[in-house]
Amino acid sequence: MAVAPPSYCFVAFPPRAKDGLVVFGKNSARPRDEVQEIMYFSAADHEPESKVECTYISIDQVPRTHAIVISRPAWLWGAEMGANEHGVCIANEAINAREPAAETEALLGMDLVRLGLERGTTAKEALDVIVALLEEHGQGGNYYEDADSCHSFQSAYLIVDREEAWVLETVGKYWAAEQITEGVKCICNQLSLTTKIDAEHPELRSYAQSQGWWTGEDEFNFSEVFSSADDHLDCCAGKDSIEKKEESITVQTMIDILRDKASGVCIDSESFLTTASVVSVLPQNRSSPCIHYFTGTPDPSRSIFKPFIFVDDVKLVPKAQSPCFGDNDPAKKEPRFLEKPDRRHELYKAHEWARAVIESDQEQGRQLRKTMLELEKQGLEAMEEILTSSDPLDPTEVGDLFYDCVDTEIKFFK
């Protein structure tokens, strides 16, 4: 069984989060050399009976899809994490369970993240979209761009909006979910739901009984019933990081948690690296905009979190998008992944230089990191002004916000 990379997702609600804000964060741990790109797709209307081509399979399209911004491994269709124009954020965790994940190509957990964002106006609506598609199409297929072996996983999701969050954990087409409206929550690459289940697949318990995993007499504990026997790890690294924060949780606190290598939240191991990160702030006051900070580059401790706000005319950012190989992409041809094209985008290439300088840990590296944090701080302060201002947001001022931040970062590295 493939080892699931230890990614972490977090959410904090008031009063643990500051000033009536919901704060969401995710580190995406993936194979070290994998490139993630940041993609914006505007809302769109679709022809009746049209199809949408996901990573491995095509499914029926819906009449209208919402505007989304996502961070995704550049070879696939779906998303590791992202947000939509309605203030819904979703992140996905690959998990191992008692039942091995299917290698047969179906929807990837990451496809379901994007489908949930495109089709759900609230966290609960996105959850309903994901479980309906799971029931109809199933999940399966290779999670990595690897021709030599198939790494397939079950999936867990953290689905958040301005009011509530849902932790959704899936095993095949079976699932359970817990609603969260207060405090803090961390999920990682193991099942975490226990006896508090607020929604579930109608046949979940009878399926567990039919497999001999649950007697029907004890209290039903989802992770005890469905976890693989050797899965004794827990998400303590992430849980401790967020629960031990005594101050109220802000965007900066969440960024600091995601940067923490000592705790294990920021992964930098032989096979895995935090290849991209996101922090979102969702004000419970609907007159304030949601702000989403993406790195688009590996290792958050050496990356700049750059803000994005949904408005009607968002300027596309080709410099954070990987080259497109169309139908010639080895990920789209069968047998898959026989070649690995260079998927690095302009931001990634510029950032590679910065990472190398910082790793050398000389004076130049220290100075460089200091200046990067200074750039980031300017962005955070400008966004803080938008959140605390009583004036309505001027869409023309933020349409090219993310574009400008990426552009400035690349120029700075050069």
Side-chain angles (χ1 to χ4, degrees):
M1 190 184 282
V3 179
S7 295
Y8 291 90
C9 314
F10 302 90
V11 66
F13 284 90
R16 284 302 309 278
K18 187 173 168 257
D19 302 340
L21 305 174
V22 178
V23 185
F24 164 86
K26 152 94 175 169
N27 267 354
S28 170
R30 299 278 304 169
R32 282 195 75 89
D33 59 348
E34 188 177 75
V35 177
Q36 283 204 34
E37 59 181 348
I38 309 297
M39 302 291 290
Y40 167 78
F41 297 95
S42 53
D45 295 309
H46 304 280
E47 293 295 318
E49 295 183 21
S50 59
K51 296 278 187 190
V52 54
E53 205 174 299
C54 303
T55 303
Y56 297 128
I57 64 167
S58 292
I59 65 169
D60 292 337
Q61 184 54 287
V62 288
R64 184 167 176 81
T65 49
H66 309 309
I68 62 168
V69 61
I70 56 175
S71 183
R72 69 174 183 191
W75 61 271
L76 53 76
W77 178 85
E80 270 282 285
M81 51 218 181
N84 72 18
E85 60 184 305
H86 302 290
V88 178
C89 298
I90 310 180
N92 156 267
E93 298 285 349
I95 46 179
N96 291 321
R98 200 165 197 167
E99 182 169 302
E103 294 190 3
T104 314
E105 292 187 347
L107 289 173
L108 282 177
M110 292 166 283
D111 293 338
L112 289 161
V113 170
R114 177 167 171 182
L115 291 161
L117 291 171
E118 287 186 340
R119 301 176 180 199
T121 56
T122 63
K124 180 62 170 65
E125 217 172 85
L127 179 141
D128 293 340
V129 164
I130 290 171
V131 298
L133 290 167
L134 197 56
E135 179 73 34
E136 189 178 348
H137 302 285
Q139 59 181 323
N142 205 341
Y143 256 63
Y144 300 153
E145 191 181 14
D146 183 353
D148 298 326
S149 57
C150 182
H151 310 263
S152 59
F153 299 102
Q154 310 289 6
S155 301
Y157 305 85
L158 184 58
I159 310 170
V160 182
D161 63 23
R162 295 175 189 253
E163 312 288 323
E164 62 177 11
W166 286 85
V167 175
L168 167 64
E169 298 186 342
T170 68
V171 178
K173 68 172 186 175
Y174 299 97
W175 57 273
E178 179 188 359
Q179 181 190 34
I180 294 155
T181 54
E182 58 183 23
V184 294
K185 184 73 181 177
C186 163
I187 73 164
C188 68
N189 58 321
Q190 291 118 16
L191 297 174
S192 66
L193 300 182
T194 56
T195 54
K196 182 184 179 290
I197 295 174
D198 298 307
E200 64 186 80
H201 188 284
E203 291 153 28
L204 176 72
R205 297 179 193 222
S206 55
Y207 177 70
Q209 274 183 286
S210 72
Q211 298 295 307
W213 298 337
W214 181 56
T215 60
E217 289 160 20
D218 317 335
E219 188 176 20
F220 184 79
N221 179 317
F222 182 78
S223 55
E224 271 181 20
V225 170
F226 284 99
S227 290
S228 51
D230 56 355
D231 206 357
H232 295 306
L233 299 157
D234 62 33
C235 293
C236 59
K239 242 171 81 182
D240 288 354
S241 294
I242 197 161
E243 284 173 3
K244 283 183 178 161
K245 293 283 178 201
E246 291 181 5
E247 74 276 21
S248 53
I249 290 162
T250 61
V251 170
Q252 187 63 61
T253 326
M254 190 64 83
I255 288 174
D256 293 343
I257 290 171
L258 297 184
R259 284 186 166 142
D260 188 359
K261 286 189 175 169
S263 70
V265 169
C266 180
I267 296 298
D268 189 350
S269 69
E270 213 171 303
S271 32
F272 297 117
L273 181 66
T274 299
T275 52
S277 306
V278 67
V279 171
S280 292
V281 55
L282 315 174
Q284 290 187 313
N285 172 358
R286 291 189 172 271
S287 63
S288 292
C290 297
I291 304 176
H292 312 283
Y293 299 87
F294 289 90
T295 59
T297 54
D299 190 347
S301 71
R302 295 163 181 177
S303 289
I304 299 174
F305 283 81
K306 299 167 279 292
F308 175 97
I309 295 176
F310 282 94
V311 287
D312 284 343
D313 289 316
V314 169
K315 189 169 182 181
L316 297 177
V317 188
K319 290 174 181 175
Q321 294 172 14
S322 295
C324 179
F325 299 97
D327 291 339
N328 290 322
D329 195 314
K332 291 188 176 158
K333 293 196 236 175
E334 293 188 57
R336 297 193 197 276
F337 313 128
L338 293 183
E339 294 166 50
K340 258 194 178 176
D342 183 355
R343 299 189 188 275
R344 293 173 305 158
H345 45 74
E346 212 175 313
L347 173 64
Y348 188 97
K349 287 178 180 174
H351 181 260
E352 274 182 318
W353 169 82
R355 267 167 69 207
V357 171
I358 293 170
E359 264 162 41
S360 65
D361 201 27
Q362 300 308 315
E363 186 55 29
Q364 189 192 3
R366 281 194 292 277
Q367 283 302 328
L368 178 63
R369 192 164 182 277
K370 194 174 153 194
T371 317
M372 287 167 76
L373 291 175
E374 199 53 49
L375 269 179
E376 181 181 273
K377 188 166 166 247
Q378 289 168 15
L380 288 170
E381 285 170 356
M383 294 307 102
E384 185 67 25
E385 276 176 37
I386 287 175
L387 287 177
T388 49
S389 166
S390 50
D391 302 331
L393 182 72
D394 178 358
T396 57
E397 281 188 9
V398 296
D400 48 9
L401 176 66
F402 191 72
Y403 179 95
D404 288 344
C405 290
V406 168
D407 211 44
T408 305
E409 183 175 340
I410 291 173
K411 283 182 183 142
F412 162 66
F413 289 148
K414 284 178 175 168

